[in-house]
Amino acid sequence: MMSEGVHTDPHALDELSDVASAEHAGVGPDGAVEGYSARRTLRLGVELRRQLKRRRTQFLLGFVAILPFILVIAFELGQSNPNRRSGGFVDLATASAPNFVVLALFVSGTFLLPMIVALFFGDTIASEASWSSLKYLLAVPVPRQRVLRQKAIVSGLLSAFALVLLPLVSLGVGVLWYGAGDAISPTGDAVSFGDSLLAIALSTVYIILQLAWVAGLALALSVSTDAPLGAVGGAVLVAILSQILDQITALEGLRNYLPTHYAFSWMDLISTDVDWTNLASGLLSAVIYGTVFFLYAGRRFAQKDITS
């Protein structure tokens, strides 16, 4: 008679036992499973493709690309004289393609450019926490500092690409609409088209480096909260507050220590006689603020209790 219960072939059990005994999970010198390498986890290419597929990245890059066309439409609807040789940056915007690029950087420097950097850096860790996927990412396992470093590098690449995309598209649009003429500064100086391209390139590099403080602050906020909007908004609000305080002349010399005080020093490059003092001060300020914020972000993330 057959007894009740589950009957298993004894030969099958023996085969499973032999297979299990043959498997060997070695241990490496560092105590990890043999064959595991932290350098193979969360590769830059994978993270970069992942971020490029996100709607917020595509929308932001798309907006940066169409902004110059919006500015052209605004000037076409309004009244502008392409032959003007005096006035401010807005008045001289249609004088030539380089002037149009300067205007695009000038009008976006107060809010848009800091917001771009804050979005990429502030959203990078906080979004993973808000999706409750950060703890699973660390359980792969990916070392914490590698997660932070890889995501910061990708955020930096995307930010730099967006900040370079704006003057490139603006230059192309400016050449089509206003021609490849000399750049005219508000002081009346005329800079040749070739020299103005070099000045624009240096200005773009300066803007990228000067916004390092926004990147560090946004990353520090990103590792401190599970709300991406709070991290991004916090960095943008600090940038706006700093700009407001910089307009208060009663603060006198204290304004020099604000992170946004030298934000527009790149405009000195659009001149025949460049004063490098403010440019150097702006880079030094950005490096100091950025270093402090990045170091804090690394320390905070290393000690943080990841629950989401």
Side-chain angles (χ1 to χ4, degrees), residues 14-294:
D14 293 338
E15 292 178 0
L16 290 174
S17 299
D18 294 338
V19 171
S21 61
E23 293 182 354
H24 175 67
V27 179
D30 58 351
V33 177
E34 188 176 6
Y36 166 79
S37 175
R39 292 177 297 178
R40 298 178 182 176
T41 59
L42 196 62
R43 296 182 177 180
L44 285 177
V46 175
E47 178 65 16
L48 184 59
R49 287 192 296 271
R50 179 169 172 265
Q51 294 300 326
L52 286 173
K53 291 179 180 179
R54 295 187 59 184
R55 291 291 181 86
R56 63 104 158 116
T57 303
Q58 298 170 357
F59 174 80
L60 183 59
L61 294 179
F63 177 77
V64 170
I66 67 173
L67 178 61
F69 295 94
I70 296 175
L71 294 177
V72 167
I73 294 174
F75 282 112
E76 292 296 323
L77 293 177
Q79 296 180 356
S80 61
N81 182 4
N83 297 318
R84 294 196 64 160
R85 309 286 293 185
S86 62
F89 285 108
V90 177
D91 299 321
L92 296 170
T94 58
S96 64
N99 280 94
F100 184 73
V101 177
V102 171
L103 166 53
L105 293 174
F106 177 73
V107 298
S108 58
T110 302
F111 177 77
L112 179 61
L113 300 186
M115 188 271 292
I116 290 174
V117 177
L119 179 61
F120 284 124
F121 279 88
D123 182 72
T124 184
I125 297 294
S127 61
E128 296 284 355
S130 66
W131 298 331
S132 297
S133 59
L134 183 58
K135 58 184 177 183
Y136 298 108
L137 182 63
L138 295 175
V140 168
V142 185
R144 290 194 181 199
Q145 294 304 317
R146 181 172 178 82
V147 170
L148 188 64
R149 183 178 68 250
Q150 298 294 86
K151 285 187 169 292
I153 292 175
V154 170
S155 298
L157 292 175
L158 292 174
S159 299
F161 177 74
L163 296 178
V164 171
L165 181 63
L166 178 60
L168 280 180
V169 177
S170 299
L171 181 63
V173 172
V175 170
L176 290 176
W177 261 268
Y178 309 117
D182 295 342
I184 310 301
S185 70
T187 59
D189 296 332
V191 182
S192 66
F193 181 74
D195 291 340
S196 64
L197 291 183
L198 177 60
I200 290 172
L202 293 176
S203 299
T204 304
V205 172
Y206 176 84
I207 291 173
I208 293 174
L209 296 177
Q210 201 280 326
L211 289 174
W213 77 269
V214 179
L217 175 59
L219 188 64
L221 294 175
S222 185
V223 301
S224 302
T225 180
D226 294 348
L229 184 60
V232 177
V236 173
L237 286 177
V238 171
I240 294 175
L241 177 60
S242 178
Q243 293 173 24
I244 293 174
L245 293 176
D246 193 40
Q247 301 301 317
I248 302 177
T249 56
L251 293 177
E252 298 181 346
L254 293 177
R255 297 185 299 166
N256 297 336
Y257 298 98
L258 294 172
T260 58
H261 182 70
Y262 300 100
F264 291 93
S265 295
W266 57 269
M267 292 189 295
D268 293 339
L269 294 169
I270 313 298
S271 174
T272 55
D273 186 16
V274 180
D275 183 5
W276 298 95
T277 303
N278 289 336
L279 293 169
S281 299
L283 292 178
L284 178 61
S285 173
V287 168
I288 293 176
Y289 276 109
T291 300
V292 172
F293 288 138
F294 276 116

